[in-house]
Amino acid sequence: MPDEIDYPPLTLPEPPLGDEGFFLRPPSMSDVEIVYRLCQDPSISRFTTIPHPYERVHAIEYVERAAADWDSGMGASFVIVSNSNEVIGTISVFRTANSGTAEIGYWVAADARGQGIASRAVRLVSRWSIQTMNLARLQLGTNRENFASQRVAEKAGFKYEGLLRNWREIRGERVDEVHFSLIPSDLE
Ligand SMILES: CC(C)(COP(=O)(O)OP(=O)(O)OC[C@H]1O[C@@H](n2cnc3c(N)ncnc32)[C@H](O)[C@@H]1OP(=O)(O)O)[C@@H](O)C(=O)NCCC(=O)NCCS
């Protein structure tokens, strides 16, 4: 992490980010149970860096880390909330060790998939974070077999960059990732 740089705290988007069928807000302790339950889904642990097995303490740590990241300016984490006020996913942007860059990650509950929620949430958060966090580059990496997420990246306007072999360790194994990025000039 670029700990030599002091970032200002991040302020919440006003009005809150959202689109038809959902809105985004920071996670709170009242979300621990639903996040814990939804993160039992094997497709989420297969394709993201969430701990496996996923315990309640991990959901608590997620909420605490989100609050700390908002305060330190290191990242912005949101839960995706349906119009009926149910948490149906998460989306987060974290600064990386390479100054001026950040990475975006997300998951959507199995029941809520296929409605354009991830791609619209990624579109909203990526544009907001590039401006608010003054990013030169926002990157998005997907497991090479995660075709739904690669489609999300394309639909959200990210540009394909390539296949990075053995890029990340997930559940104890190195995995190849297909990487995309969004930079400020893509938004002009
Ligand atoms: C990836 C994920 C976030 C997508 O969420 P979602 O809300 O269903 O995404 P969207 O509806 O915005 O878009 C999904 C797109 O992928 C397509 N898709 C779904 N499964 C697919 C597959 N197996 N192969 C190719 N495309 C696929 C859908 O048809 C849709 O594209 P379309 O609108 O052109 O038809 C969700 O499946 C998920 O949470 N998966 C587990 C965790 C994960 O992979 N997170 C991302 C880590 S990088």
Side-chain angles (χ1 to χ4, degrees):
M1 288 296 126
D3 55 4
E4 72 279 9
I5 302 173
D6 274 336
Y7 295 102
L10 281 167
T11 51
L12 291 177
E14 189 51 49
L17 300 175
D19 198 3
E20 199 183 315
F22 72 92
F23 67 96
L24 306 178
R25 62 161 172 78
S28 74
M29 282 298 167
S30 63
D31 301 320
V32 163
E33 202 56 33
I34 183 71
V35 169
Y36 162 72
R37 189 161 59 76
L38 293 175
C39 284
Q40 303 308 310
D41 178 345
S43 71
I44 298 179
S45 56
R46 176 179 178 206
F47 286 141
T48 69
T49 54
I50 68 161
H52 179 77
Y54 196 90
E55 312 283 356
R56 274 189 185 77
V57 67
H58 296 126
I60 294 169
E61 286 167 3
Y62 158 69
V63 173
E64 289 173 344
R65 162 98 193 267
D69 284 347
W70 279 97
D71 286 348
S72 66
M74 288 301 289
S77 284
F78 301 90
V79 282
I80 307 173
V81 183
S82 71
N83 284 349
S84 51
N85 218 22
E86 283 172 50
V87 171
I88 52 170
T90 68
I91 182 164
S92 303
V93 171
F94 301 99
R95 292 188 189 278
T96 70
N98 180 8
S99 172
T101 77
E103 192 169 332
I104 190 164
Y106 45 87
W107 56 259
V108 168
D111 289 350
R113 291 178 192 163
Q115 302 170 46
I117 290 177
S119 46
R120 287 180 291 144
V122 170
R123 180 173 282 276
L124 287 166
V125 171
S126 58
R127 280 146 185 78
W128 172 83
S129 60
I130 281 179
Q131 286 163 4
T132 310
M133 297 169 74
N134 198 20
L135 301 176
R137 169 185 167 82
L138 179 60
Q139 50 202 42
L140 189 166
T142 75
N143 186 299
R144 71 182 300 167
E145 294 172 356
N146 194 350
F147 305 111
S149 194
Q150 288 159 35
R151 182 77 189 115
V152 166
E154 287 168 359
K155 288 204 296 177
F158 281 62
K159 305 280 188 253
Y160 171 82
E161 291 190 324
L163 176 71
L164 302 184
R165 296 178 301 157
N166 276 354
W167 176 250
R168 206 186 302 272
E169 187 174 303
I170 296 203
R171 293 168 64 165
E173 279 184 30
R174 299 303 302 190
V175 295
D176 298 346
E177 285 196 352
V178 177
H179 272 232
F180 300 80
S181 70
L182 193 70
I183 64 174
S185 58
D186 295 333
L187 307 182
E188 287 164 7

